[in-house]
Amino acid sequence: MDAASAHNSPGASTLDALAAADSAGIRLRGSLVNANLAAYVVLGLAAFQWLLIVISHCVVQRRYVRRRAFVDRPAEDYPGVTIIRPVKGVDLGMQRTLESSFCQEYPGPLEILFAAEDPDDPAIEVINEIIGRYAKINARVLVGKDNVGINPKVNNMLKAFDQAQHDLLWICDSNVYTDPGTLRRSVDLLLDNKRLGVIHHVVFSEAPATFAAMLDNAFLTTNHCRMYLAINAFGIASCLMGKSNLYYKSALDNVGGLASFGQYLAEDNMIGQALWHSGWGHTMTGDLACQPADTGGFAEYCSRRIRWVRTRKYNVTAATLYEPLTESIMLGLLTSWALQHLYGYHMLPTFTTFMLCWFGMDMLFYYRINRGSPPSWPWFVLSWLCREALALPLWIVAIIGDTVVWRGQRFRFHLNGTVDVLK
């Protein structure tokens, strides 16, 4: 029998069919192994995210519900502090936010410097009225603009940084209100631990007046606040926002000075990283950096979220790429699939249960850290649902672009986090 006949014989055909079936079985088993592995990875990520949620609630209980009392020490032990508040235009609730700096229950020397670019800025009139009512406090307005980079905030407040009388600085945005005990509690931490060099306060939105502001409020008071507290609880890297930060001027001078961070749009993140890598520890008090929810419209809300994600993409790339897995809908869908694949649970009831649990934990988180309910539970719940649904689409838009608009200027990012101004 020749080779062709042997190959076409019934026995040979049977062997070929068995070989093909065996090969298909191997591929099927390989696919199942890969799917099982993916499902276990998803469940691991879900477990880790729920761990972060539990940690954030523990932090709220330990730090915010049971807020630290003042340390009993002589007034002369408290160092002088310079509060720097850059301003540009009149913010929502500006009288209240700026006046909170004058109401600090701080026993040490205090200086308040307001930095404005334009002598005709309407915020100056508001500031002068407040200064007139607190004549005993050393406060003044500095007007002018340096040009050390593309960051308008750095360019504005550099003059205040250079003229500050005290080494300990408190950089606080113009739209932030802080509790009267915030500064003293912050300095108490610095005095108790000489290895600390940065005290920061989590941003918390309040009093939304439009639905877009409610969306921003839902984000800042649940997802953002919760993740911010959980990440900082680990204390393995710098994670801070520049809304309300205390640090030493001399320490910042040792890492290049404020002017060297003018090339970055996210100067707060870069300053935090530089101080962290220089050996200065970061921590937080049980105080909130409260800002009025001033988002005017839906387009503004979307633009702000896109800018935040796009900025983080070039500064903390790995964390930004992981971000969708910290959102309820994406993680809930993946978890539901994994439980169906491995254990046969139906996806719809599993996903529904997942979302209800997530929602309940967020509502509890808000209630506890806010020490009370939102102005309207129905509106807060609706804005929370819409915020969750918008999270992934806005993240996708942010990831595929490299430009942002901030304060009327368009910027393009480079891979190292620096930006160029686009004309």
Side-chain angles (χ1 to χ4, degrees), residues 61-130:
Q61 178 66 27
R62 179 176 60 86
R63 183 181 293 155
Y64 294 89
V65 175
R66 300 176 179 175
R67 192 161 61 180
R68 172 186 171 124
F70 292 152
V71 176
D72 185 15
R73 55 167 52 97
E76 55 269 22
D77 288 353
Y78 285 91
V81 177
T82 295
I83 302 176
I84 297 178
R85 304 204 70 157
V87 299
K88 185 177 178 65
V90 177
D91 300 311
L92 181 65
M94 193 173 208
Q95 183 92 17
R96 174 175 175 262
T97 59
L98 296 185
E99 192 171 4
S100 67
S101 293
F102 293 81
C103 299
Q104 291 299 309
E105 301 167 354
Y106 187 66
L110 190 64
E111 175 189 38
I112 306 175
L113 300 180
F114 297 94
E117 296 178 355
D118 187 350
D120 297 323
D121 193 318
I124 295 178
E125 183 178 351
V126 178
I127 296 168
N128 285 333
E129 191 275 327
I130 299 173

Side-chain angles (χ1 to χ4, degrees), residues 254-270:
N254 288 335
V255 293
L258 179 63
S260 66
F261 296 93
Q263 62 182 317
Y264 303 104
L265 207 57
E267 89 292 336
D268 50 356
N269 174 69
M270 303 308 292

Side-chain angles (χ1 to χ4, degrees), residues 175-384:
N175 65 341
V176 166
Y177 167 86
T178 52
D179 182 86
T182 301
L183 180 57
R184 183 170 178 177
R185 278 186 287 270
S186 300
V187 176
D188 278 339
L189 288 176
L190 291 173
L191 295 177
D192 289 344
N193 187 348
K194 299 301 182 181
R195 297 180 63 184
L196 290 175
V198 178
I199 306 294
H200 54 120
H201 311 108
V202 66
V203 178
F204 198 82
S205 176
E206 59 181 12
T210 67
F211 187 66
M214 292 178 188
L215 291 172
D216 207 32
N217 176 258
F219 168 70
L220 289 173
T221 59
T222 57
N223 178 279
H224 175 266
C225 189
R226 169 169 43 77
M227 289 298 297
Y228 194 90
L229 297 186
I231 293 171
N232 276 286
F234 282 100
I236 58 175
S238 172
C239 175
L240 61 82
M241 284 184 64
K243 284 289 181 181
S244 177
N245 298 163
L246 278 84
Y247 46 74
Y248 295 103
K249 179 181 177 181
S250 55
L252 193 57
D253 284 335
N254 288 335
V255 293
L258 179 63
S260 66
F261 296 93
Q263 62 182 317
Y264 303 104
L265 207 57
E267 89 292 336
D268 50 356
N269 174 69
M270 303 308 292
I271 288 173
Q273 290 193 40
L275 293 175
W276 177 272
H277 292 304
S278 295
W280 291 105
H282 299 14
T283 194
M284 305 167 67
T285 68
D287 298 286
L288 303 173
C290 297
Q291 64 174 40
D294 61 349
T295 308
F298 181 72
E300 182 183 346
Y301 167 77
C302 294
S303 176
R304 183 178 296 178
R305 293 280 73 75
I306 290 170
R307 185 177 74 241
W308 275 33
V309 174
R310 200 165 283 174
T311 301
R312 290 197 301 273
K313 180 180 71 170
Y314 290 96
N315 289 278
V316 282
T317 305
T320 307
L321 294 176
Y322 179 78
E323 197 168 295
L325 294 176
T326 68
E327 298 287 356
S328 61
I329 295 178
M330 171 65 80
L331 189 60
L333 288 172
L334 290 174
T335 303
S336 301
W337 165 80
L339 290 174
Q340 182 187 57
H341 176 77
L342 292 173
Y343 306 110
Y345 293 113
H346 293 293
M347 282 193 65
L348 182 58
T350 303
F351 177 72
T352 302
T353 302
F354 183 98
M355 291 299 298
L356 286 174
C357 292
W358 193 289
F359 169 78
M361 292 295 278
D362 268 1
M363 296 304 103
L364 179 61
F365 179 89
Y366 177 93
Y367 185 85
R368 294 175 72 223
I369 196 170
N370 187 57
R371 297 186 178 90
S373 304
S376 169
W377 273 115
W379 279 108
F380 186 75
V381 171
L382 178 61
S383 60
W384 182 89

Side-chain angles (χ1 to χ4, degrees), residues 16-58:
D16 289 344
L18 290 173
D22 188 52
S23 177
I26 292 173
R27 288 195 298 270
L28 179 60
R29 287 193 296 273
S31 298
L32 288 174
V33 169
N34 291 336
N36 289 345
L37 178 61
Y40 283 120
V41 169
V42 166
L43 293 182
L45 294 174
F48 175 68
Q49 189 58 37
W50 279 103
L51 174 64
L52 292 181
I53 291 174
V54 171
I55 288 174
S56 70
H57 280 262
C58 293

